[in-house]
Amino acid sequence: MRTGDKPVNTSSPLLMLGVLSISFLMSVSNAVSGTIPLMKQYFSNISEANVELLVVIPTGGVLLGTVVSGLISNKLGKKYTVLMGLIVSLIFGVIPAFFYSYPAIFLSRAMFGVGMGIFTPLSVSYITDIFPERIRNRLLGWRNSVGAIGDAIMLFIAGFLINVSWHATYLVFLFLIVPIVLVALFVPKRLDRVTVEEGKEVEEDSDIRPSTNGGVIQLAIVFLFVCLFYSSISLKLASHMVDSHIGSAADATRIFGFLVLCSIVSGIAFEQLAKWCGKATVFIFEMLTAVVLIAMPFANSIPVLLVLVLVAGFCNGIINPALTARMVAYSPKGSMNLTTSIILIGINIGSLVAPYFFQALGLILGNRDSGFMILCAGVCYILLAFYDVFIVRKDKLTI
């Protein structure tokens, strides 16, 4: 049903800023990962694995939050759901700065992840629901850039706070006040239950119950494997460099630091590259990623590895928004939030199982060398690329 003929100003910079600000925090652990050694000293009576669990447990919380996000959104609407998730993450994110017991920090970190899981699906559905395709692809690319910029800012702030104490590092999550204010001020509540078609608001049918289909599940599985194989870089490259006497773990860390810049550049370039490459976008950049991963084990210098990692990071920054854009084609009407939640579950499962996948693959193939695992991931990307050709033709996708 038409709610009015007044065009929606989808080109409003303030509306775009408010929607993109939801993606300021896309990483659940980067900002505070440097506290692990200090926490190990503080919790000397706690096992090392349990201390490290404090950094990764938010991922489990994200899965729970993602599941309930749609239910909350149906009751409160998009805007209040986003604000609720951001506020939950803010409150529980800073608790370790004031309460030092292990159970309190464990619970706060889990709930921090739940808050992230609540608002993150809406960072995508807002873009796909209220912006036309011309602007949508641009914002999906910018979303990655905004997340990278947010990570960079929080890492920068955390670098100062950790010099005060590991407790103080968790104050970095006060940064979430920024998206809370921007969403509250610049994202209208009236856009909760509308989609925009040809510049006009169309009210969502409240009788439509969110649903899913095989296309959405298929896309979630593709995201899972993309995340799984790309994880070979973060999981195996440092060990490969040390084992091959190319460089130290510190050298690998410095290389990874440049990936933030890659994400920013690829996010900005995505719209234009998607226009040039069209329906072959994912295939081209998955094949390029495959070439880079296969080449990594044979590189014998830090500069060469740096270039290869940067190319892989750039490609990943194109593949992700390209796959995200397909959610519009697959998602049933009125179900974008549920679709996004399913996709995020696939991504998080890919991250969680990656270490065990490569461990099992090494045992099966009889070679657990880190470089060989990266090469195997490259071969898997070739399979993904050709599968994408099949999917694009079968489903008549435009990107």
Side-chain angles (χ1 to χ4, degrees):
M1 182 179 73
R2 297 283 178 186
T3 61
D5 294 328
K6 181 182 178 181
V8 175
N9 185 12
T10 52
S11 298
S12 167
L14 293 179
L15 175 59
M16 292 182 188
L17 178 62
V19 170
L20 288 173
S21 72
I22 305 171
S23 301
F24 275 169
L25 182 65
M26 291 183 68
S27 171
V28 297
S29 61
N30 280 354
V32 296
S33 58
T35 64
I36 292 177
L38 297 175
M39 286 197 296
K40 286 178 181 177
Q41 295 177 12
Y42 186 85
F43 295 114
S44 57
N45 59 328
I46 305 292
S47 71
E48 181 176 324
N50 284 336
V51 173
E52 293 174 345
L53 184 62
L54 293 176
V55 175
V56 299
I57 192 60
T59 303
V62 168
L63 289 174
L64 176 59
T66 299
V67 170
V68 302
S69 177
L71 300 175
I72 298 172
S73 181
N74 289 338
K75 296 292 183 182
L76 301 181
K78 291 180 182 176
K79 179 170 182 173
Y80 290 158
T81 301
V82 168
L83 291 174
M84 175 185 173
L86 288 168
I87 291 170
V88 168
S89 289
L90 169 62
I91 293 172
F92 286 98
V94 301
I95 279 181
F98 305 101
F99 298 92
Y100 304 159
S101 72
Y102 182 88
I105 295 176
F106 181 89
L107 178 62
S108 69
R109 295 292 290 154
M111 288 302 299
F112 169 78
V114 170
M116 283 198 64
I118 290 172
F119 72 76
T120 301
L122 291 161
S123 68
V124 175
S125 60
Y126 257 125
I127 294 174
T128 55
D129 284 347
I130 67 176
F131 293 98
E133 183 176 3
R134 174 179 57 85
I135 298 176
R136 181 192 307 144
N137 288 343
R138 183 189 312 160
L139 293 184
L140 288 174
W142 286 2
R143 176 177 175 267
N144 276 12
S145 297
V146 167
I149 292 170
D151 281 350
I153 292 173
M154 295 184 73
L155 282 166
F156 180 76
I157 297 172
F160 285 100
L161 292 175
I162 200 170
N163 291 323
V164 179
S165 71
W166 69 263
H167 311 292
T169 307
Y170 288 86
L171 292 174
V172 72
F173 294 116
L174 289 172
F175 182 70
L176 285 170
I177 292 174
V178 174
I180 289 173
V181 171
L182 293 177
V183 170
L185 292 179
F186 303 135
V187 180
K189 185 76 170 67
R190 64 187 176 85
L191 293 178
D192 273 6
R193 301 189 183 279
V194 299
T195 57
V196 173
E197 298 177 5
E198 299 177 354
K200 295 181 180 179
E201 296 179 17
V202 180
E203 185 179 0
E204 292 180 351
D205 188 344
S206 58
D207 294 330
I208 296 179
R209 301 189 65 178
S211 60
T212 191
N213 54 41
V216 172
I217 303 301
Q218 166 192 269
L219 186 59
I221 293 173
V222 170
F223 265 109
L224 186 156
F225 283 117
V226 167
C227 181
L228 176 65
F229 301 143
Y230 185 72
S231 295
S232 63
I233 298 176
S234 59
L235 292 174
K236 300 298 181 181
L237 182 61
S239 297
H240 168 66
M241 289 176 64
V242 172
D243 294 343
S244 302
H245 307 291
I246 298 171
S248 65
D251 293 324
T253 302
R254 283 189 282 271
I255 289 176
F256 293 146
F258 284 97
L259 284 176
V260 173
L261 179 62
C262 254
S263 297
I264 296 172
V265 174
S266 61
I268 295 172
F270 169 70
E271 181 188 16
Q272 191 59 52
L273 287 174
K275 285 181 181 179
W276 289 341
C277 300
K279 61 180 66 177
T281 301
V282 174
F283 171 79
I284 290 171
F285 286 94
E286 283 184 342
M287 285 298 292
L288 185 54
T289 304
V291 171
V292 167
L293 291 177
I294 291 172
M296 277 186 191
F298 302 100
N300 55 12
S301 71
I302 292 177
V304 173
L305 278 174
L306 173 60
V307 171
L308 292 175
V309 169
L310 291 181
V311 173
F314 182 85
C315 291
N316 190 63
I318 301 298
I319 293 168
N320 277 332
L323 291 176
T324 302
R326 293 180 180 178
M327 290 164 56
V328 178
Y330 285 124
S331 181
K333 185 176 181 180
S335 302
M336 185 55 72
N337 193 33
L338 175 61
T339 297
T340 308
S341 297
I342 292 171
I343 298 300
L344 287 172
I345 289 172
I347 292 171
N348 280 283
I349 290 175
S351 296
L352 287 171
V353 305
Y356 308 102
F357 169 81
F358 288 111
Q359 183 180 41
L361 183 64
L363 289 173
I364 292 171
L365 299 179
N367 186 344
R368 299 174 64 179
D369 179 73
S370 296
F372 181 68
M373 290 297 99
I374 296 174
L375 187 150
C376 289
V379 173
C380 290
Y381 258 102
I382 295 176
L383 300 177
L384 274 179
F386 282 103
Y387 178 73
D388 192 76
V389 173
F390 167 74
I391 291 300
V392 168
R393 291 180 177 175
K394 180 177 74 73
D395 297 338
K396 298 180 173 62
L397 298 172
T398 59
I399 188 173

